[in-house]
C-alpha cells in the first residue's frame, strides 16, 4: 500500500439492450412527468391570454369612462356657467324692474302734482296727456320686465332641477 500505485477499477459495460431499455424507460418516465406539466403550462398560457384580453377590455372601459367623465365635467361647467349667467340676468331684470317701479311711482306722483297744478290751464292739458302716455309705456315696460324676470326665474329654477 505504501509503495504501490493506486488501482483503477475496471470499467463496467452495460449491454446495449439494457442501456436501450433504461433509456426507453427514462423517456417514458420523462414523458409521463411532462404530460401534466404541459397541461398546466397550456392552462397557464390560456389563463394569461384571457387575463390579457380582460385587461385590455378593462383598460378600454376605463378610458371610455374617463372620456365620459371629462365630457360630463365639461357639460356640468357649461351648465353651471349658464345657471350663473341666468342668475345674473335675473338679478339685473329684478333691478331693472325695481327701477321701473320707482320710476313709475315717481311718474305717478309727478302726474298727480301736475294734475293739481294744471287743472285750470287748458293749454297744458296736452303736456299732461304726453306724461300719461309715458306712464303707460313705463307700465308696459314694467309689466314686460316683470314677465321677463318671471320667465328667467322659471328657467333658472328649471335648470336648477335639471342639474
Amino acid at each position: 500500500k505504501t509503495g504501490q500505485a493506486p488501482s483503477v477499477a475496471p470499467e463496467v459495460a452495460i449491454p446495449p439492450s439494457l442501456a436501450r431499455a433504461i433509456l426507453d424507460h427514462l423517456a417514458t418516465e420523462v414523458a409521463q412527468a411532462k404530460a401534466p406539466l404541459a397541461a398546466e403550462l397550456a392552462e397557464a398560457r390560456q389563463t394569461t391570454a384571457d387575463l390579457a384580453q380582460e385587461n385590455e377590455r378593462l383598460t378600454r372601459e376605463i378610458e371610455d369612462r374617463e372620456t365620459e367623465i371629462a365630457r360630463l365635467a365639461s357639460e356640468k361647467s357649461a351648465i353651471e356657467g349658464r345657471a350663473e349667467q341666468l342668475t345674473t340676468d335675473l338679478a339685473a331684470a329684478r333691478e331693472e324692474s325695481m327701477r321701473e317701479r320707482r320710476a313709475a311711482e315717481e311718474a305717478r306722483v309727478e302726474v298727480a302734482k301736475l294734475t293739481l297744478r294744471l287743472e285750470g290751464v287748458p293749454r297744458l292739458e296736452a303736456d299732461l296727456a304726453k306724461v300719461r302716455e309715458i306712464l303707460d309705456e313705463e307700465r308696459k315696460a314694467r309689466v314686460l320686465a316683470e314677465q321677463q324676470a318671471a320667465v328667467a326665474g322659471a328657467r333658472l329654477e328649471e335648470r336648477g332641477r335639471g342639474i
Side-chain angles (χ1 to χ4, degrees):
K1 288 191 179 181
T2 55
Q4 295 180 346
S7 64
V8 177
E11 280 189 34
V12 179
I14 297 176
S17 61
L18 181 59
R20 188 175 302 124
I22 291 173
L23 286 176
D24 288 344
H25 178 69
L26 285 176
T28 303
E29 289 296 318
V30 168
Q32 286 177 353
K34 278 184 174 180
L37 294 176
E40 283 182 40
L41 179 61
E43 186 178 328
R45 285 182 178 159
Q46 182 60 45
T47 302
T48 301
D50 292 345
L51 288 173
Q53 281 182 331
E54 181 66 11
N55 185 32
E56 288 176 17
R57 185 189 67 77
L58 290 174
T59 300
R60 284 190 306 273
E61 187 175 325
I62 288 170
E63 289 170 354
D64 292 345
R65 295 289 164 91
E66 287 173 347
T67 301
E68 180 69 10
I69 288 169
R71 185 188 66 77
L72 290 173
S74 174
E75 189 175 314
K76 178 184 176 252
S77 293
I79 289 171
E80 287 174 343
R82 182 67 181 137
E84 189 175 319
Q85 181 62 44
L86 287 173
T87 301
T88 303
D89 291 349
L90 178 61
R94 285 181 177 162
E95 188 177 314
E96 179 67 23
S97 175
M98 289 302 294
R99 278 196 302 271
E100 292 293 326
R101 285 180 187 165
R102 278 188 240 114
E105 184 61 31
E106 290 172 7
R108 280 191 290 274
V109 169
E110 193 62 31
V111 167
K113 287 179 184 177
L114 289 174
T115 302
L116 290 174
R117 286 185 192 165
L118 300 177
E119 281 182 344
V121 183
R123 73 170 180 83
L124 295 177
E125 287 180 7
D127 292 336
L128 178 60
K130 288 180 184 178
V131 169
R132 286 184 177 157
E133 286 178 19
I134 292 171
L135 178 61
D136 286 340
E137 289 176 12
E138 287 177 350
R139 283 181 186 152
K140 289 176 187 176
R142 185 189 80 229
V143 167
L144 180 61
E146 287 173 353
Q147 288 173 347
Q148 289 173 345
V151 167
R155 286 182 183 161
L156 180 62
E157 188 174 313
E158 220 177 80
R159 297 228 189 240
R161 280 186 252 129
I163 294 177

